[in-house]
Amino acid sequence: MLGTKALEILGQEISKSEMDNYISRIKFSEKGSNSQRVIFIAPNELIAKFIQTKYANKLANIYEVHTGIKPEVLITTQKANLSIKSKDVNVKEIRSQSSLLNPSYTFDNFVVGDSNQFAFISSKQVASNPGKAYNPLFIYGSTGLGKTHLLQSIGNECLEHGKTVICITSEQFTSDFIRNLENRTMNKFKEKYRNCDVLLIDDVQFFHKSEKTQEEFFHTFNEIHAKKGQIVMTSDKPPKMLKDFEERLKSRFEWGLMADITPPELDTKIRIIKTKCEFDKIELSDDIIEYIASNMGDNIREIESAIININAFANIMRQDITLEFAKNVIKDQIKEKKEAISLENIIKDVAHEMNIKPSDIKSKNRTKNIVEARRICIYLAKTLTPNSMPQLASHFGLKDHSAVSHNIKKINNLMENDSYFKARLEELKNKILSKE
């Protein structure tokens, strides 16, 4: 049994501060653990609850990679551990544990916006009619935008309808393949993967590391597809952009439907945060929610991690969650900033965000949306660059510094009276500042 070694492996996947502050405080319980249930002892209930929420599934995944079985991972206290009784685990339970399906990932708690609507609708249709609607379904987009949530939602719904579901990452598929190849048990491997009703592969882009794995997955794909089984894959890029992949495999990926997920809009991020807070019974004020949505970037996993950290620190320190408290907790998670910002970059980014031409901003056009974009540029230029008022007046074709001051005052008034506008502006500022 991995035991303490699993904690060391987890330490390689998380930050040093997370390892020192949390994981190093728990100990493996050899007496209470078995192949289906692994128990770690925490010093108190708050730490136990926090680690259970944030790291238990990661530890279970580590066990699955190294043992082939995904156990139930419990983080508890010494006192609570005494009351935990071992339970019988039947074959059906073991089989369900050998996949990565997390029952908390459902379509009901997936927040839909313009950035993910097509992928959401496509996934729902696949889950309702596996093997017939779109096969394969290939969902792609940057890290942390909800691809895994949709993948697992498909799996959970198919499982509810009695389908045999395997949900696994490409790296775990590779590890399983190599282990069975070395043990000369490939018949067992083929029986497992080629006879399922639904095969869900997360992060398929990592198949590029192994030609043999690609060949095996190619044959697995063909077998499942021929039997009308459903295949769903996620990736950080579309098939045509996958490097070091066989053309015949990329061609298979394009057989069905490709659905992309783009970074969420500000209002979608706000709704995601509110949904997460409601689900975890965490109370955050609107100004804290808007601050997180505006400053944490687009990675939903990082945003959810920030919420968990804020709540955990508040519980441990027994403090109310104020805006200043929240800012202090997540300050290390805010992205690095650029040292020098040019006026042209500000104009270009604002124009892109507001769907107008950069040349419109410096023109005499008085259309409402262009006037607003121009004012935002002037405000951000004064905030983010060392240019003086006269320099800004000259650059934006204004009469003098008083015109610059007038535009900045208009933006300040809007920010005072419209919290959503303020959050939008804060998000835009952080997009300009964030390192690429």
Side-chain angles (χ1 to χ4, degrees):
M1 191 170 290
L2 288 176
T4 304
K5 181 67 176 176
L7 300 180
E8 295 174 4
I9 296 170
L10 177 62
Q12 298 169 10
E13 300 178 5
I14 61 178
S15 68
K16 186 178 184 301
S17 63
E18 287 179 299
M19 184 66 185
D20 293 342
N21 292 332
Y22 307 118
I23 303 305
S24 64
R25 302 179 68 179
I26 63 175
K27 298 185 183 301
F28 173 62
S29 172
E30 187 170 0
K31 285 186 178 180
S33 301
N34 55 48
S35 60
Q36 277 78 49
R37 171 185 281 181
V38 179
I39 296 175
F40 293 92
I41 307 299
N44 57 60
E45 289 184 10
L46 286 173
I47 293 293
K49 184 177 180 182
F50 176 64
I51 296 178
Q52 182 74 45
T53 302
K54 188 171 183 182
Y55 302 105
N57 197 51
K58 290 180 182 291
L59 285 167
N61 292 344
I62 289 170
Y63 268 85
E64 183 179 14
V65 169
H66 289 82
T67 68
I69 295 176
K70 184 177 182 180
E72 177 187 10
V73 173
L74 292 179
I75 315 297
T76 185
T77 61
Q78 187 67 51
K79 182 178 179 181
N81 186 43
L82 296 175
S83 66
I84 296 176
K85 297 178 180 179
S86 60
K87 62 179 182 179
D88 294 330
V89 181
N90 60 34
V91 175
K92 184 179 180 181
E93 286 174 327
I94 294 174
R95 192 171 293 150
S96 68
Q97 289 170 352
S98 69
S99 77
L100 293 178
L101 283 178
N102 183 336
S104 66
Y105 285 126
T106 67
F107 289 120
D108 289 339
N109 60 26
F110 185 86
V111 179
V112 184
D114 292 341
S115 59
N116 57 29
Q117 187 176 45
F118 180 68
F120 174 79
I121 293 172
S122 303
S123 298
K124 286 268 294 183
Q125 291 179 347
V126 164
S128 299
N129 205 6
K132 298 175 182 176
Y134 306 111
N135 200 17
L137 174 62
F138 193 98
I139 306 171
Y140 65 94
S142 299
T143 300
L145 298 184
K147 302 187 300 295
T148 299
H149 191 142
L150 286 179
L151 187 78
Q152 299 230 356
S153 297
I154 293 170
N156 283 318
E157 187 159 317
C158 289
L159 208 60
E160 285 288 318
H161 291 91
K163 301 294 183 183
T164 305
V165 179
I166 292 180
C167 179
I168 198 166
T169 68
S170 59
E171 289 187 303
Q172 288 163 330
F173 181 94
T174 301
S175 176
D176 205 5
F177 167 66
I178 292 171
R179 183 171 59 253
N180 280 278
L181 192 64
E182 290 174 346
N183 293 336
R184 298 183 179 180
T185 53
M186 282 304 295
N187 286 339
K188 179 181 175 183
F189 177 88
K190 291 175 182 179
E191 182 181 353
K192 173 182 176 181
Y193 287 99
R194 299 185 186 186
N195 291 327
C196 65
D197 299 316
V198 180
L199 177 62
L200 310 173
I201 303 286
D202 209 4
D203 291 326
V204 75
Q205 70 271 11
F206 293 121
F207 275 140
H208 76 277
K209 296 178 182 178
S210 169
E211 289 184 12
K212 287 186 177 180
T213 306
Q214 282 192 40
E215 182 177 358
E216 180 58 36
F217 184 64
F218 174 79
H219 295 303
T220 299
F221 182 104
N222 288 342
E223 286 274 345
I224 295 174
H225 197 277
K227 295 176 181 177
K228 305 298 181 185
Q230 178 67 50
I231 303 163
V232 184
M233 296 165 283
T234 71
S235 171
D236 62 353
K237 54 181 70 71
K240 288 189 183 299
M241 293 180 64
L242 292 173
K243 294 181 179 179
D244 303 320
F245 268 72
E246 295 180 14
E247 287 302 320
R248 62 177 184 170
L249 196 53
K250 290 197 287 185
S251 173
R252 295 298 191 280
F253 294 168
E254 295 177 334
W255 270 3
L257 181 69
M258 292 183 289
D260 70 324
I261 299 180
T262 56
E265 314 76 18
L266 179 63
D267 60 339
T268 302
K269 283 193 283 186
I270 289 173
R271 285 190 289 118
I272 288 170
I273 294 170
K274 288 182 176 179
T275 300
K276 176 67 176 175
C277 288
E278 183 180 348
F279 183 81
D280 288 341
K281 295 180 173 56
I282 298 172
E283 292 187 13
L284 296 180
S285 61
D286 287 344
D287 59 343
I288 295 174
I289 290 172
E290 288 173 356
Y291 177 81
I292 295 170
S294 302
N295 290 274
M296 278 298 299
D298 299 322
N299 189 311
I300 305 306
R301 265 198 296 273
E302 291 179 1
I303 289 174
E304 292 181 340
S305 171
I307 297 167
I308 292 171
N309 286 342
I310 289 169
N311 188 58
F313 273 98
N315 285 332
I316 291 169
M317 299 173 72
R318 297 184 179 180
Q319 279 193 232
D320 293 333
I321 302 176
T322 64
L323 179 58
E324 286 307 310
F325 178 83
K327 285 181 177 180
N328 187 55
V329 171
I330 66 174
K331 64 178 185 292
D332 293 337
Q333 291 179 264
I334 304 297
K335 293 183 182 296
E336 289 184 61
K337 311 299 181 185
K338 292 180 181 177
E339 292 182 2
I341 305 296
S342 73
L343 291 173
E344 293 307 319
N345 279 343
I346 291 174
I347 292 171
K348 179 181 176 183
D349 290 342
V350 172
H352 175 76
E353 190 70 20
M354 301 188 70
N355 199 27
I356 61 175
K357 296 177 182 177
S359 58
D360 288 336
I361 290 175
K362 296 174 71 174
S363 72
K364 300 296 183 182
N365 193 317
R366 303 295 299 172
T367 305
K368 184 179 178 181
N369 66 321
I370 292 176
V371 170
E372 182 183 45
R374 188 179 298 127
R375 283 176 175 161
I376 289 173
C377 282
I378 293 169
Y379 172 84
L380 291 174
K382 186 69 180 76
T383 306
L384 303 177
T385 74
N387 289 280
S388 66
M389 295 281 228
Q391 286 173 319
L392 293 178
S394 174
H395 191 85
F396 287 98
L398 303 177
K399 186 177 180 181
D400 54 30
H401 71 280
S402 63
V404 173
S405 180
H406 171 76
N407 280 283
I408 292 173
K409 186 177 180 181
K410 286 282 188 182
I411 292 297
N412 280 325
N413 287 338
L414 269 174
M415 290 171 67
E416 287 177 12
N417 297 309
D418 187 340
S419 62
Y420 181 71
F421 175 82
K422 180 181 178 181
R424 269 184 59 212
L425 190 59
E426 187 71 18
E427 182 193 38
L428 179 54
K429 182 174 76 172
N430 280 288
K431 281 185 177 178
I432 293 170
L433 288 170
S434 296
K435 281 190 173 182
E436 297 177 356

